[in-house]
Amino acid sequence: MESIISFDLLKKLLPQKNPFVMVSHLLEYSEDAITTGMIVEEENLFIEGGCFNESGMIENIAQTTALHTGYDFYLRKEKAPIGYIGTISNVIVNRLPKLNEKITTKVEIIKEFMGVTMVHGSIYVGDEVLMTAKMKTFLESQ
């Protein structure tokens, strides 16, 4: 996985701090989409029975969404506001990723309006879709 930014910068763009960071690579970024990567490691807080659990996968999609916002504000040289998960819907889990698998998370921005962002997220290993979900996030007023 080849990041377009360093892991140190990525950590600064996310409000979460170790050991709660669930994204390790920014792979692609555009105005309406983002792709991140992460290797499922044993010390991850969301490991159960040798797999990255559903809660961790949802957090991974949320942090990918947060990274989209953080990177957008970084490119504009502005401080990013804190965001919160509002709703999670249409969650489909086909399988959980196993230890040492490289997951890729793609988030497409469906709509942004007045600090509310609606996204569709998908988590993959290679071409295999492991999970899809829709999520609505809210930005804290500045």
Side-chain angles (χ1 to χ4, degrees), residues 17-130:
K17 301 300 172 216
N18 279 333
F20 207 71
V21 175
M22 298 298 139
V23 174
S24 58
H25 299 82
L26 173 54
L27 304 173
E28 294 178 22
Y29 169 85
S30 70
E31 186 176 304
D32 58 358
I34 186 168
T35 303
T36 62
M38 185 183 91
I39 299 171
V40 178
E41 297 177 333
E42 191 168 357
E43 53 276 349
N44 190 291
L45 297 174
F46 292 104
I47 297 297
E48 284 183 39
C51 293
F52 191 45
N53 70 22
E54 183 177 334
S55 296
M57 294 170 79
I58 289 169
E59 183 61 28
N60 173 263
I61 290 173
Q63 288 188 25
T64 297
T65 303
L67 185 57
H68 185 274
T69 301
Y71 193 59
D72 179 57
F73 275 79
Y74 170 78
L75 291 174
R76 294 185 301 184
K77 299 182 183 346
E78 297 177 28
K79 185 175 187 270
I82 300 294
Y84 302 96
I85 297 172
T87 61
I88 303 163
S89 62
N90 302 91
V91 176
I92 299 171
V93 179
N94 298 314
R95 87 166 168 87
L96 301 175
K98 299 177 179 101
L99 283 175
N100 301 313
E101 282 191 305
K102 295 177 184 178
I103 63 172
T104 302
T105 304
K106 296 180 182 183
V107 167
E108 298 170 327
I109 309 301
I110 298 168
K111 188 171 197 155
E112 281 185 296
F113 183 71
M114 296 182 63
V116 177
T117 304
M118 295 172 57
V119 302
H120 180 267
S122 303
I123 298 177
Y124 301 84
V125 169
D127 292 332
E128 180 186 7
V129 179
L130 303 187

